[in-house]
Amino acid sequence: MQIFLARNNVQAGPYNLEQLNIMLASGEVVLDDLMWHEGLEQWQRVGTLTNNQTVYTPAPVNGAEVNDSIINNVTIFPEDNASGKQTDKPVSLDRLYGKPERKDTANNTKVDMTTNRHHTPHHNVSLNKTQLNKAATNQDKVVGDVVLAPIMSRVLATVINGLLYLLAIFPLVMALTKMDVDYSKFQNIQDMDAAYQYSMTLMESLPSSTLMMSQIMVFGLFALQLVFIALRGQSLGKLITGIRVVDQTTHRLPSFTKLIGMRTLLLFIIYNLLFSFTSFLGFVVVAVHYYMASKSPENIGWHDKLAKTLVVKADSSQLTKKPTLK
């Protein structure tokens, strides 16, 4: 069971039942906090779900018994008691997650929900680090419950997508290399009609089999990219590099409009126009995007600002829908 918590419009999680009950017992989660997990229609007050108790026992789902007892699974630290028996001393989040304790937690200072925050300025709160630690390294940036994709992974994904496109048009390129093409006609911005007419003349000069093969490969690649982007928030390049586009607010799969409309079709049109005028200009705009991302605390370039998205390391939980916190 994946459990999400919220306080003051800040979301954190996911947690399992044992972690939730430990934080309830230690006072790190209070009864007035909000909670949601699969099976709940909306966010609810923790105390409402626990009957104002400091232990949560969810109702069985489809007759299955919940076997996630805090009583049987709490980790005991013998050094806290000479007899080795468990005491009422709260277990800090640092100790719970196997990290070195900070001075405030080591001195029995009560820890609230913001204590386990990642120490990067202006980032959202993330209480649960057990899953993030598997994917994050010391160089990674963490925002809430996601790990931002490294800039080089994003660049590599773009390069892979470009290589796939070149592979799709390879038969067309090979056929054009055998023709005497006047490329200067495509660089005259003031006479686009002449460039279009010249391109049509070139297409008519190509063998029909070559043209058909190129069209099938290009449209097939484009359709495949759209399917993966719509269903998983990943182009083929991002799928290979293990990164994904998520919504800046929910950290889940963005809406269809953001994914397909803003980040795919609109960018496709913009870059096609730029590269048709001059390839140099297109590469400059790509470079500006990644330069902006490298200078941003959340790796946000102009693509991301336009669509209000983040590019993060892919995790299956990002495909799970959850209600919006009101």
Side-chain angles (χ1 to χ4, degrees):
M1 173 183 291
Q2 291 189 329
I3 301 172
F4 295 87
L5 299 171
R7 179 187 292 177
N8 297 329
N9 292 322
V10 177
Q11 301 178 23
Y15 299 92
N16 59 38
L17 184 59
E18 179 183 346
Q19 292 169 331
L20 171 65
N21 283 328
I22 290 175
M23 290 188 290
L24 277 170
S26 67
E28 295 159 20
V29 174
V30 297
L31 299 181
D32 286 330
D33 292 331
L34 298 179
M35 179 168 64
W36 178 88
H37 58 73
E38 189 174 358
L40 298 179
E41 295 183 357
Q42 60 185 0
W43 291 86
Q44 296 190 38
R45 181 176 170 273
V46 172
T48 302
L49 295 171
T50 65
N51 292 322
N52 291 322
Q53 302 298 313
T54 57
V55 60
Y56 180 46
T57 306
V61 179
N62 296 329
E65 295 183 358
V66 177
N67 187 18
D68 203 0
S69 173
I70 180 175
I71 298 175
N72 295 327
N73 294 305
V74 170
T75 301
I76 300 174
F77 299 95
E79 65 272 21
D80 291 340
N81 191 314
S83 64
K85 297 182 180 179
Q86 184 180 358
T87 68
D88 294 331
K89 178 181 177 181
V91 179
S92 70
L93 288 179
D94 287 333
R95 172 168 287 189
L96 177 63
Y97 297 136
K99 299 188 296 184
E101 284 194 301
R102 286 161 288 183
K103 291 183 179 180
D104 56 348
T105 57
N107 293 329
N108 297 333
T109 302
K110 188 174 181 180
V111 184
D112 66 6
M113 289 184 70
T114 63
T115 302
N116 204 35
R117 182 178 301 174
H118 186 275
H119 292 279
T120 302
H122 308 300
H123 284 177
N124 292 332
V125 175
S126 176
L127 299 179
N128 181 31
K129 298 297 182 184
T130 54
Q131 291 184 351
L132 291 182
N133 285 339
K134 297 178 182 179
T137 65
N138 293 333
Q139 290 75 34
D140 284 330
K141 298 178 182 179
V142 178
V143 177
D145 56 354
V146 296
V147 181
L148 296 179
I151 299 298
M152 290 310 300
S153 294
R154 298 174 62 174
V155 173
L156 180 59
T158 300
V159 171
I160 291 173
N161 285 329
L163 291 176
L164 290 174
Y165 178 74
L166 290 177
L167 183 62
I169 64 172
F170 183 74
L172 181 62
V173 172
M174 292 302 296
L176 289 174
T177 56
K178 299 177 181 179
M179 302 174 61
D180 186 15
V181 180
D182 184 4
Y183 292 100
S184 63
K185 292 185 179 294
F186 298 104
Q187 299 177 354
N188 188 356
I189 301 177
Q190 297 179 349
D191 195 0
M192 293 301 296
D193 185 62
Y196 175 77
Q197 295 297 331
Y198 183 64
S199 64
M200 290 297 99
T201 301
L202 291 176
M203 293 300 104
E204 292 173 357
S205 302
L206 292 172
S208 58
S209 59
T210 300
L211 189 59
M212 181 176 295
M213 182 182 298
S214 294
Q215 289 175 337
I216 292 174
M217 293 179 68
V218 169
F219 283 115
L221 175 63
F222 190 64
L224 193 60
Q225 293 276 38
L226 285 178
V227 169
F228 275 94
I229 291 171
L231 297 181
R232 301 184 57 84
Q234 296 172 296
S235 62
L236 293 177
K238 287 183 172 62
L239 180 66
I240 293 172
T241 54
I243 61 179
R244 169 180 288 123
V245 175
V246 298
D247 188 275
Q248 284 184 11
T249 303
T250 65
H251 294 172
R252 294 295 186 270
L253 201 65
S255 66
F256 184 84
T257 302
K258 286 184 178 181
L259 274 176
I260 303 300
M262 302 298 291
R263 281 198 67 103
T264 304
L265 297 181
L266 182 59
L267 291 181
F268 180 78
I269 293 172
I270 290 174
Y271 281 115
N272 262 319
L273 290 175
L274 291 173
F275 280 103
S276 64
F277 292 154
T278 167
S279 59
F280 175 78
L281 182 59
F283 284 116
V284 167
V285 175
V286 173
V288 168
H289 167 68
Y290 287 120
Y291 177 78
M292 289 178 60
S294 67
K295 297 300 181 181
S296 167
E298 297 182 343
N299 291 0
I300 294 177
W302 70 268
H303 294 179
D304 311 300
K305 285 183 178 293
L306 187 67
K308 296 183 179 180
T309 54
L310 294 174
V311 181
V312 302
K313 287 189 175 182
D315 186 271
S316 58
S317 64
Q318 296 152 4
L319 302 177
T320 304
K321 295 182 179 180
K322 64 178 179 177
T324 303
L325 179 62
K326 297 181 180 180

